[in-house]
Amino acid sequence: MAVIQQIRIAQSQSRKLLVWLIDPEKQSSVHALYPYLSLPDLIFVGGSTGNQCEAIVTELKQHTSLPIVLFPGNIAQFTAKADALLFLSVLTSRLPQLLIEPHIQMATTILQSGIETIPMGYLLIDGGRKSSVEIATNTQSLPQTDIATIVQTAVAGQLLGKQLIYLEAGSGAKMPVSTDIIRAVRKHLQIPLIVGGGISTPEAMMRAFDAGADIVVIGNHFEQHPEEIEDFVRVKRSKYGE
């Protein structure tokens, strides 16, 4: 089954999904993660920099049957060995190199690879510190107080045909995307909504889910404390099921 179909079915059943984001630049090997790789619902692989995605994807494939989805920060992170690719546009940027140029450079390669490609609108939200994405792309994040612009941008992404919208507070954010923002975007959005950045406790994860996130992505915290994913999964399942 296609990854996007799995996500849509989960949304239709009000079943929430927890994603583990693995950054190849921070994980030269996933050996230490083996005991926990079956616990999340999906695994994303990617980061703001680096080009070691193929090696990590290959290793992950040997130790988990979960879908492996590319969340690339640049075109060098593409590998057809993954199950799907988030073909993302940074909707909060006005720079053509983020909105369309990488897509043009990789279009025929991606098409010929046959990988499942999921168009996604990506919104950078201020998380209280300069994120690695902002530094790498020279992109300004949207202030959390400007909910109207965030909602309008997310809806514009939906109208442009994006299949997912991602609200991102940035790697290691001091504060996650607020529940007010999530709730406002969810009210106007029909497609699945992803929220990530600064989520470091099961309680914070549940606040995002309860506000309307369909998918929560956690990277930094699980990189440092992979064993804690068991607590997150247990809390999620207690309310939303498998």
Side-chain angles (χ1 to χ4, degrees), residues 57-92:
V57 168
T58 300
E59 188 177 358
L60 286 168
K61 283 287 193 178
Q62 295 170 354
H63 297 280
T64 181
S65 59
L66 290 177
I68 309 298
V69 182
L70 289 180
F71 180 35
N74 58 62
I75 60 175
Q77 294 180 4
F78 174 73
T79 171
K81 294 185 177 181
D83 296 295
L85 165 70
L86 298 175
F87 201 50
L88 66 92
S89 293
V90 184
L91 299 180
T92 46

Side-chain angles (χ1 to χ4, degrees), residues 22-28 46-53 56 77:
I22 296 176
D23 187 339
E25 186 181 24
K26 299 175 183 177
Q27 297 281 351
S28 58
S48 301
T49 59
N51 59 1
Q52 304 301 314
C53 280
I56 291 294
Q77 294 180 4

Side-chain angles (χ1 to χ4, degrees), residues 11-185:
Q11 182 192 26
S12 70
Q13 297 173 345
S14 298
R15 182 166 47 86
K16 306 296 187 176
L17 303 179
L18 176 62
V19 172
W20 189 345
L21 171 60
I22 296 176
D23 187 339
E25 186 181 24
K26 299 175 183 177
Q27 297 281 351
S28 58
S29 170
V30 294
H31 183 270
L33 311 183
Y34 292 170
Y36 314 106
L37 290 177
S38 64
L39 293 175
D41 298 292
L42 299 167
I43 293 176
F44 286 0
V45 175
S48 301
T49 59
N51 59 1
Q52 304 301 314
C53 280
E54 184 159 317
I56 291 294
V57 168
T58 300
E59 188 177 358
L60 286 168
K61 283 287 193 178
Q62 295 170 354
H63 297 280
T64 181
S65 59
L66 290 177
I68 309 298
V69 182
L70 289 180
F71 180 35
N74 58 62
I75 60 175
Q77 294 180 4
F78 174 73
T79 171
K81 294 185 177 181
D83 296 295
L85 165 70
L86 298 175
F87 201 50
L88 66 92
S89 293
V90 184
L91 299 180
T92 46
S93 172
R94 299 299 178 263
L95 302 174
Q97 61 265 36
L98 296 177
L99 287 169
I100 190 62
E101 286 184 5
H103 310 73
I104 294 171
Q105 293 175 41
M106 290 297 293
T108 55
T109 299
I110 292 170
L111 184 65
Q112 291 167 4
S113 76
I115 193 171
E116 178 188 352
T117 305
I118 306 172
M120 183 178 78
Y122 182 81
L123 284 70
L124 273 171
I125 312 297
D126 179 26
R129 58 175 290 182
K130 196 84 167 177
S131 71
S132 56
V133 175
E134 290 178 90
I135 294 169
T137 63
N138 194 28
T139 300
Q140 290 290 322
S141 58
L142 291 174
Q144 298 219 21
T145 53
D146 194 357
I147 297 179
T149 298
I150 294 170
V151 170
Q152 293 277 39
T153 305
V155 172
Q158 176 177 274
L159 294 176
L160 283 166
K162 306 303 181 187
Q163 297 179 24
L164 300 170
I165 292 294
Y166 194 132
L167 303 179
E168 169 71 281
S171 177
K174 291 183 179 179
M175 54 184 180
V177 178
S178 75
T179 54
D180 288 342
I181 291 172
I182 299 170
R183 200 171 289 112
V185 172

